Amino acid sequence: MRTELDIGGWRVTAPARAATAGLTAAPPVSVLVSYRGAQDTIGEAVQSLLDQTVAPYEIVVCDDGSADDVHEGLGELLREVQLLQKPPGGTGSAINAAARVASGEHLLALDARDVFEPRRIEAVSAVLAARPDLDIVATDAIIEREGEPVSTLGRISPFPPAEERRAMLGRCTFLWPSVRRSTLLENGGLDESLRALGDWDCWLRLVLAGASVAYVHEPLYRRRLTRAAHSAASMVAHLEDQVRLTEKALDEGWLDEDERALADELLEERKCRLARELARAAVESRDRAARERSLPLLTGHGFRVATRAKAAATMVSPALASRFLARHRDADELDELELTGRGLRLPA
């Protein structure tokens, strides 16, 4: 059961447990920055950490084998961070590497293309001081498109006051929260085999394993969507990860009977979406496998009439289908990939 609290002036949804008598000292909070090909934005990301009203205990930047120059991107800010450099392994690998060397009791992560609002660490620290029992503290987030705020995560997907496990199976209910370092590492960190949704998979696993979560109803993370960063191949990676994280939830034995029924439904839906996207990607790229990818859409179960019609067109003429899809693909679909991959979508 959850309740709404006022902690240091912040509106917080947290497990129904009384706050400790008086405030304890806030635990040290380290910030982990995952870097790959972000030379133009890493300086602004790190500066947003230095501009916090409560300073981070440390800043660990992990360069995940980038071809560009993180040193040039950081410039004079290099002296403010601990820099790790490693071979390419993905965001999960970068966060795990940074978490292993960090010394703060709690960890906050930041993508090198995003920024923190000035009071984010202040809010997280206030909640952790009042509720040292918490494993995860999340905040609302501002969603930007091409530099302009367009919504907040709280508007797109309000944090669930109850049934958080079921909600988290269906969508990622928060972005890059504070997490207790020991809890993260003891549960294996982020799954480095996932290419796109290692964060959602990690928070889902922690929630299903019993981690306690609080949510600050103030948008203090700025998530920046950029159309140029995404592609049809990225959409496939997101959908493949959706399928995999759902299969993992079913395999680990954490779910009760009702949750398993929900997960089974979600898995079927996600496999259908993945099949559609694999077929569409093959058609758009003029892949020789376009007909092979489209056949399950024509003969399988769970596909709409429109999807079957496109599959039939592909079987007749992949080239004609490719031109049709190129004209009709929703531009916003790729633009909002970071959210749609997490079961969310910007409002119209």
Side-chain angles (χ1 to χ4, degrees):
M1 186 67 180
R2 296 182 171 277
T3 188
E4 192 166 299
L5 307 171
D6 183 318
I7 297 178
W10 302 99
R11 185 166 70 92
V12 180
T13 295
R17 173 179 167 181
T20 55
L23 297 180
T24 64
V29 177
S30 300
V31 181
L32 317 178
V33 184
S34 58
Y35 177 94
R36 185 169 177 80
Q39 183 176 314
D40 293 340
T41 58
I42 183 63
E44 186 179 3
V46 170
Q47 190 61 54
S48 78
L49 303 178
L50 300 176
D51 291 341
Q52 292 291 299
T53 55
V54 170
Y57 182 69
E58 63 187 342
I59 302 170
V60 182
V61 176
C62 185
D63 174 10
D64 186 48
S66 290
D68 63 2
D69 191 345
V70 64
H71 295 87
E72 183 174 340
L74 285 167
E76 295 183 357
L77 296 177
L78 182 60
R79 70 187 68 168
E80 305 290 345
V81 308
Q82 179 179 355
L83 178 63
L84 305 178
Q85 292 184 284
K86 56 180 283 300
T91 299
S93 174
I95 294 298
N96 287 343
R100 286 191 289 268
V101 305
S103 52
E105 183 180 341
H106 288 261
L107 308 174
L108 276 167
L110 173 64
D111 186 277
R113 293 178 177 80
D114 299 336
V115 295
F116 281 6
E117 291 293 289
R119 300 182 68 194
R120 190 167 200 240
I121 297 179
E122 176 189 333
V124 168
S125 296
V127 175
L128 290 172
R131 291 290 302 269
D133 59 300
L134 294 169
D135 298 303
I136 295 173
V137 178
T139 74
D140 197 355
I142 297 167
I143 308 301
E144 277 189 10
R145 176 189 288 150
E146 304 296 344
E148 294 296 326
V150 293
S151 191
T152 64
L153 186 64
R155 181 184 171 209
I156 297 168
S157 177
F159 186 74
E163 296 191 331
E164 181 186 8
R165 291 163 59 96
R166 291 175 62 85
M168 199 67 170
L169 281 167
R171 54 187 168 81
C172 190
T173 59
F174 46 76
L175 302 176
W176 293 119
S178 159
V179 59
R180 190 185 302 276
R181 180 176 179 271
S182 59
T183 299
L184 179 69
L185 296 180
E186 288 167 5
N187 285 273
L190 276 70
D191 184 339
E192 297 178 16
S193 71
L194 299 180
R195 295 186 292 160
L197 299 178
D199 55 336
W200 179 7
D201 170 77
C202 182
W203 318 141
L204 172 61
R205 283 189 285 112
L206 295 185
V207 167
L208 293 178
S212 54
V213 182
Y215 183 87
V216 179
H217 294 269
E218 183 74 23
L220 299 172
Y221 188 101
R222 192 172 286 266
R223 185 61 176 146
R224 291 173 165 171
L225 307 179
T226 54
R227 186 175 307 174
H230 306 310
S231 65
S234 296
M235 179 66 89
V236 168
H238 277 68
L239 294 173
E240 286 177 338
D241 281 6
Q242 280 192 12
V243 169
R244 182 64 188 129
L245 70 85
T246 312
E247 289 175 335
K248 288 171 63 179
L250 285 163
D251 291 344
E252 291 295 335
W254 286 315
L255 307 180
D256 63 27
E257 185 176 348
D258 289 342
E259 291 167 345
R260 287 192 66 84
L262 172 61
D264 283 333
E265 291 178 10
L266 290 169
L267 182 59
E268 187 66 25
E269 292 172 7
R270 288 165 179 172
K271 284 182 175 179
C272 286
R273 285 197 66 200
L274 175 58
R276 288 198 303 269
E277 195 58 37
L278 285 168
R280 179 156 63 177
V283 171
E284 290 181 352
S285 65
R286 306 292 180 92
D287 192 312
R288 292 180 179 179
R291 284 191 173 95
E292 179 183 348
R293 293 289 191 186
S294 298
L295 184 59
L297 277 61
L298 190 60
T299 61
H301 298 286
F303 298 105
R304 294 178 301 177
V305 172
T307 298
R308 294 182 187 278
K310 292 173 186 175
T314 300
M315 300 300 292
V316 173
S317 174
L320 182 62
S322 175
R323 290 194 292 272
F324 175 82
L325 290 177
R327 289 196 302 270
H328 291 84
R329 177 184 275 277
D330 181 3
D332 286 342
E333 184 173 15
L334 294 182
D335 194 23
E336 297 169 15
L337 183 56
E338 289 295 336
L339 297 180
T340 56
R342 288 166 169 76
L344 310 172
R345 185 176 292 277
L346 288 174

